Amino acid sequence: DVNLLKEDVGTVPVWVKLPGVPATAFSEDGLSAIVTKLGTPLMLDSYTSDMCMQSWGRSSYARAMIELRADVE
């Protein structure tokens, strides 16, 4: 009684590493605006999120998970 039909994949979650983000864009809103150009923003990794929330500095890169459409080149 198992259904083995293959479903089409419409979207794929992908982690992206963003090197050299300007200090003025190193916030949740700024990073969201940048990754929106690539796909649909889903979340920041915990380290990047902590830096944005507590304003205690910034790393040499930020990481965000975005959702990409699988049916588009």
Side-chain angles (χ1 to χ4, degrees), residues 18 21-22 25 29-38:
L18 305 165
V21 176
D29 290 339
L31 293 171
S32 178
I34 292 170
V35 298
T36 297
K37 300 294 184 181
L38 303 171

Side-chain angles (χ1 to χ4, degrees), residues 3 9 14 19 21-23 48 52 66-67 71-72:
N3 184 357
V9 176
V14 177
V21 176
T48 302
C52 290
I66 61 171
E67 187 175 68
D71 59 350
V72 176

Side-chain angles (χ1 to χ4, degrees), residues 7-13 67-72:
E7 293 184 30
D8 289 334
V9 176
T11 59
V12 179
E67 187 175 68
L68 296 177
R69 289 186 44 201
D71 59 350
V72 176

